[in-house]
Amino acid sequence: NKVLSEKIGLFLAENVKFVKDIMDTNNEYDSSSDEDQYEPGMKRFCPERENFAGSSNGYDQAGPSKPHSDFDCGRATFSASDSEDDKLVDFDRESLLKEIDADIKSIISKDGKTDEKPKANINLKIKSKAEKQPAASQFKGKDQALYTLEIFMKDNTTCRSKKDRAGKNDQRAPIICDNEGVANAIIPPNHKLMLLCKRTATHPRQYIKRGSFVLFKFYVDGEALSEGQLHEASIKNPELHWAKAHIDTHTVKDDQRVEYAHEANAYVGTFVVKVFTKLRDTLVSEQFSAVPEDDRVFEKTKRRICCAVPTDSEAAPGESPNKQVKKFDKPQSGLAESGLPAASIEVSYDDLLGTRSRHFGQKQFQIENLRKAGVDEDMLRNAYPHGIPETKFSGSIDLISDDEEDIKLEDVKKEEE
C-alpha cells in the first residue's frame, strides 16, 4: 500500500507539472495573439496538400506552431467559443495546487486505513469440512477420516409385509451425546431399523485406491450380524465408503430382567460398528448371518427396548435358529481384517423414557432440547400419553431442621389459621 501511495503521488506530481506547462504556454499565446492576431491553442499536424505550392517539408512539428504569412488554408484554427484552453487561465493557480494537495492527502489517508487486516467473516462456511448433522453420530478415526453412523427407522404398523425394510427415505433416529460423550439414539419399540455407516476421506492422502476395499463389521447387543461387508469406492466418489445392516427392535419384557449384573448381557442396548482399512487375503469356507439371542437385561439399567430375540425352540448343540450359515463346497478367496480397526463407533439406544431416566438432570435431555435434536411430537405423545409432566417445583424445602414434628406442627397451625 505504501508503494502504491508513492506511485499515486508521483503520478499526480507529473500531472501538476503538465498543468503548469499548459498554463505557461497559454501565457505565451496571450502575448503573441496581440501581435499576430491568431487564436491561442494547440495546433494539430497538417500534411502537405497538392493545391498549393510549398516546401517538401510542409508538415508541422509537434508543439505550438507559429503562423506563416505564405498560406493558411491547411491549418486548423479554433475560435474563442470552441477553445477549452482559455478556461484554464481563469483558474487561480494557488487554489488549484491546494486542491490537488488535499486530494493527495485524502488518498494517502485512505491507503493507510487499508493496511489494517480485514476481520474474518464469521458467517463464512467452509465446504471442505463436513457439517455435523443432529441425527447422525460423527467420529474421527485413527486415519483422520470422518466416520458417520445414521439410523433410519420404520414403524411395523406401516409395513405391508414382513419383508419390508427401513430405507433412506424413512425417519432418522435422533442421536444425542450425554455429559460423558456417549452417543444415545432414541428409538421407539417395534420398529425396523437400518444402520448406515460411512467413511468419508477429508484429504486426498486418506483416499483408498481402486481395487482395495474397506471392511465394515456390525455388532448389535454384543453379537456380530455377519463376518462383515466389503465396499470399494466408486470413480465418481473416491472419498466415500459405506455399508448398511438391518435389525428390528422389541419391547423388554419382565421375564428378561435380572437382578444381578453378572447374569445380564452387558452389551444389550448398544450398536457397535468396527471399520477396517487394512485387509489381508484369506480363504472363506462359510458365511453366516445372525440375530442377537441374549436378551437378559440388568434391572437397574431401566432399559425398555432391545434387538435380541430369544430362542424358544430346541436346537442341536452348537446350532441356533437365529443364525444362518452358508457353506461352500470349495474354499473361496476372500479378505479378512488385519490388525486393529481404523475406527470403532459405539451408540447406545433406547426409547425416550428409558433414555431420560438414565440421564436424569442433564440439560440436553430436557424436552425443549430433545425437540431441537429431532424428537417429534408423535414420539412425545407415545411416551407421555397423558401429557408431559411438569418438573418445576415452586415450594420450599427445609434442609436445616432435623425434627419432623416441628415441621408438621407448623403446617397444622397454618391450616388452622
Side-chain angles (χ1 to χ4, degrees):
N1 291 329
K2 292 181 179 179
V3 174
L4 180 61
S5 61
E6 290 177 1
K7 289 182 178 179
I8 292 172
L10 292 173
F11 178 75
L12 293 173
E14 291 178 2
N15 290 338
V16 171
K17 290 181 180 180
F18 180 72
V19 172
K20 289 180 179 180
D21 293 338
I22 292 173
M23 297 175 70
D24 292 335
T25 52
N26 288 333
N27 293 332
E28 292 178 1
Y29 296 156
D30 294 338
S31 62
S32 62
S33 60
D34 296 333
E35 298 176 358
D36 300 331
Q37 297 180 357
Y38 271 85
E39 298 294 336
M42 297 290 291
K43 304 300 181 180
R44 304 292 181 185
F45 293 108
C46 180
E48 184 179 4
R49 301 198 179 188
E50 297 179 357
N51 57 355
F52 62 85
S55 62
S56 60
N57 266 343
Y59 296 97
D60 291 338
Q61 301 296 327
S65 60
K66 294 184 179 179
H68 292 268
S69 60
D70 297 336
F71 58 88
D72 58 350
C73 61
R75 219 169 278 285
T77 59
F78 301 93
S79 61
S81 59
D82 296 335
S83 178
E84 296 179 357
D85 294 334
D86 293 340
K87 297 178 182 180
L88 294 173
V89 182
D90 299 333
F91 289 102
D92 188 5
R93 293 177 61 182
E94 294 182 359
S95 61
L96 181 62
L97 292 173
K98 289 181 181 179
E99 291 178 1
I100 292 172
D101 292 336
D103 293 337
I104 292 171
K105 290 179 180 179
S106 63
I107 292 170
I108 293 171
S109 63
K110 288 180 181 179
D111 292 338
K113 292 180 180 179
T114 57
D115 292 339
E116 299 177 358
K117 294 182 179 180
K119 295 181 179 179
N121 189 3
I122 300 173
N123 298 325
L124 183 64
K125 294 184 178 180
I126 302 172
K127 295 183 179 180
S128 60
K129 293 185 178 180
E131 297 179 0
K132 190 171 182 180
Q133 301 175 357
S137 59
Q138 296 183 356
F139 302 89
K140 196 171 262 190
K142 296 179 181 178
D143 54 356
Q144 300 302 314
L146 186 65
Y147 293 86
T148 307
L149 179 61
E150 297 174 276
I151 303 173
F152 299 88
M153 54 187 183
K154 186 175 184 178
D155 195 350
N156 289 340
T157 57
T158 60
C159 296
R160 297 181 180 179
S161 65
K162 293 182 178 180
K163 295 182 179 180
D164 287 353
R165 291 181 173 182
K168 289 185 179 180
N169 296 327
D170 294 318
Q171 183 183 1
R172 293 185 181 183
I175 299 178
I176 306 169
C177 289
D178 56 13
N179 293 341
E180 297 178 357
V182 179
N184 295 268
I186 299 176
I187 302 172
N190 303 322
H191 274 65
K192 293 181 179 291
L193 306 180
M194 184 184 77
L195 310 179
L196 179 62
C197 185
K198 296 179 182 179
R199 179 193 182 271
T200 306
T202 57
H203 194 275
R205 291 180 297 181
Q206 302 166 4
Y207 287 2
I208 296 175
K209 61 182 180 179
R210 292 278 298 172
S212 299
F213 294 83
V214 175
L215 179 63
F216 295 85
K217 279 193 171 183
F218 291 88
Y219 297 85
V220 178
D221 293 345
E223 188 170 347
L225 300 182
S226 64
E227 298 95 340
Q229 299 181 27
L230 296 172
H231 186 267
E232 182 184 7
S234 62
I235 299 175
K236 184 179 179 181
N237 297 318
E239 74 283 354
L240 181 63
H241 293 80
W242 60 273
K244 61 182 178 181
H246 296 273
I247 196 70
D248 299 343
T249 60
H250 310 281
T251 304
V252 174
K253 300 178 182 179
D254 292 337
D255 57 355
Q256 295 178 226
R257 304 181 186 278
V258 294
E259 185 177 358
Y260 301 103
H262 67 275
E263 297 177 354
N265 182 5
Y267 298 100
V268 168
T270 58
F271 296 134
V272 180
V273 184
K274 296 181 180 181
V275 186
F276 298 87
T277 56
K278 294 181 180 180
L279 308 177
R280 57 180 175 84
D281 296 331
T282 186
L283 294 176
V284 180
S285 59
E286 63 180 17
Q287 288 182 346
F288 74 92
S289 60
V291 176
E293 297 180 2
D294 193 354
D295 61 346
R296 294 174 297 172
V297 179
F298 186 38
E299 187 177 6
K300 289 186 178 180
T301 58
K302 300 180 181 180
R303 291 196 174 273
R304 296 170 55 88
I305 67 170
C306 69
C307 295
V309 179
T311 57
D312 297 332
S313 61
E314 295 181 358
E319 295 182 2
S320 174
N322 291 347
K323 188 175 183 179
Q324 299 177 359
V325 181
K326 180 181 179 182
K327 295 183 179 181
F328 301 104
D329 297 336
K330 294 181 180 180
Q332 304 291 327
S333 61
L335 296 173
E337 64 274 12
S338 177
L340 298 175
S344 181
I345 305 171
E346 184 175 352
V347 176
S348 176
Y349 70 92
D350 203 353
D351 64 354
L352 185 61
L353 290 176
T355 304
R356 293 195 71 196
S357 63
R358 285 194 305 277
H359 301 88
F360 180 77
Q362 298 187 15
K363 291 184 178 180
Q364 54 268 37
F365 293 94
Q366 294 178 356
I367 299 298
E368 296 180 358
N369 295 330
L370 289 174
R371 286 173 176 165
K372 293 179 182 178
V375 177
D376 57 4
E377 296 299 326
D378 293 336
M379 296 174 68
L380 292 173
R381 196 178 299 110
N382 293 332
Y384 302 101
H386 301 291
I388 300 172
E390 295 184 359
T391 57
K392 295 181 180 179
F393 180 73
S394 58
S396 60
I397 300 174
D398 188 1
L399 300 176
I400 300 174
S401 178
D402 296 332
D403 297 331
E404 295 181 0
E405 295 180 358
D406 297 342
I407 300 173
K408 291 180 180 179
L409 290 174
E410 291 179 359
D411 295 337
V412 171
K413 290 180 180 179
K414 289 182 180 179
E415 290 178 0
E416 291 178 357
E417 291 177 357

Short mmCIF file of all heavy atoms in Angstrom, two decimals, residues 73 93 127 164 205 354 367 390:
data_model
loop_
_atom_site.label_atom_id
_atom_site.label_comp_id
_atom_site.label_asym_id
_atom_site.label_seq_id
_atom_site.Cartn_x
_atom_site.Cartn_y
_atom_site.Cartn_z
N CYS A 73 -4.42 27.88 -45.55
CA CYS A 73 -5.56 27.06 -45.95
C CYS A 73 -5.57 25.69 -45.27
O CYS A 73 -6.62 25.12 -45.03
CB CYS A 73 -5.58 26.89 -47.45
SG CYS A 73 -4.09 26.06 -48.08
N ARG A 93 -3.99 29.65 -9.81
CA ARG A 93 -3.02 28.57 -9.72
C ARG A 93 -2.83 28.09 -8.28
O ARG A 93 -2.69 26.90 -8.01
CB ARG A 93 -1.67 29.02 -10.30
CG ARG A 93 -1.71 29.26 -11.80
CD ARG A 93 -0.40 29.77 -12.30
NE ARG A 93 0.66 28.81 -12.05
CZ ARG A 93 1.95 29.02 -12.35
NH1 ARG A 93 2.31 30.18 -12.86
NH2 ARG A 93 2.86 28.09 -12.12
N LYS A 127 -16.68 -25.47 2.84
CA LYS A 127 -17.33 -26.65 2.30
C LYS A 127 -16.51 -27.90 2.51
O LYS A 127 -17.03 -29.00 2.49
CB LYS A 127 -17.61 -26.46 0.80
CG LYS A 127 -18.61 -25.36 0.52
CD LYS A 127 -18.90 -25.27 -0.97
CE LYS A 127 -19.91 -24.19 -1.27
NZ LYS A 127 -20.19 -24.09 -2.72
N ASP A 164 -40.68 -55.96 4.27
CA ASP A 164 -40.41 -54.52 4.20
C ASP A 164 -39.27 -54.16 5.14
O ASP A 164 -39.17 -54.69 6.26
CB ASP A 164 -41.66 -53.71 4.56
CG ASP A 164 -42.69 -53.76 3.44
OD1 ASP A 164 -42.36 -54.30 2.36
OD2 ASP A 164 -43.81 -53.27 3.64
N ARG A 205 -4.86 -37.67 0.86
CA ARG A 205 -3.99 -38.69 1.42
C ARG A 205 -4.75 -39.81 2.09
O ARG A 205 -4.22 -40.90 2.29
CB ARG A 205 -3.03 -38.05 2.43
CG ARG A 205 -1.98 -37.14 1.81
CD ARG A 205 -1.09 -36.55 2.88
NE ARG A 205 -1.83 -35.70 3.79
CZ ARG A 205 -1.29 -35.04 4.81
NH1 ARG A 205 0.00 -35.15 5.06
NH2 ARG A 205 -2.04 -34.29 5.60
N GLY A 354 -36.73 -44.48 28.71
CA GLY A 354 -35.54 -45.14 29.23
C GLY A 354 -34.30 -44.27 29.13
O GLY A 354 -33.46 -44.24 30.05
N ILE A 367 -37.02 -31.56 27.50
CA ILE A 367 -37.99 -31.67 26.41
C ILE A 367 -37.68 -30.66 25.30
O ILE A 367 -37.73 -31.01 24.10
CB ILE A 367 -39.42 -31.47 26.94
CG1 ILE A 367 -39.76 -32.55 27.97
CG2 ILE A 367 -40.42 -31.49 25.80
CD1 ILE A 367 -39.75 -33.95 27.42
N GLU A 390 -44.94 -31.73 34.41
CA GLU A 390 -44.16 -30.54 34.75
C GLU A 390 -43.12 -30.90 35.80
O GLU A 390 -43.43 -31.60 36.78
CB GLU A 390 -45.06 -29.43 35.27
CG GLU A 390 -46.03 -28.91 34.22
CD GLU A 390 -46.85 -27.75 34.74
OE1 GLU A 390 -46.65 -27.39 35.92
OE2 GLU A 390 -47.68 -27.22 33.99
#
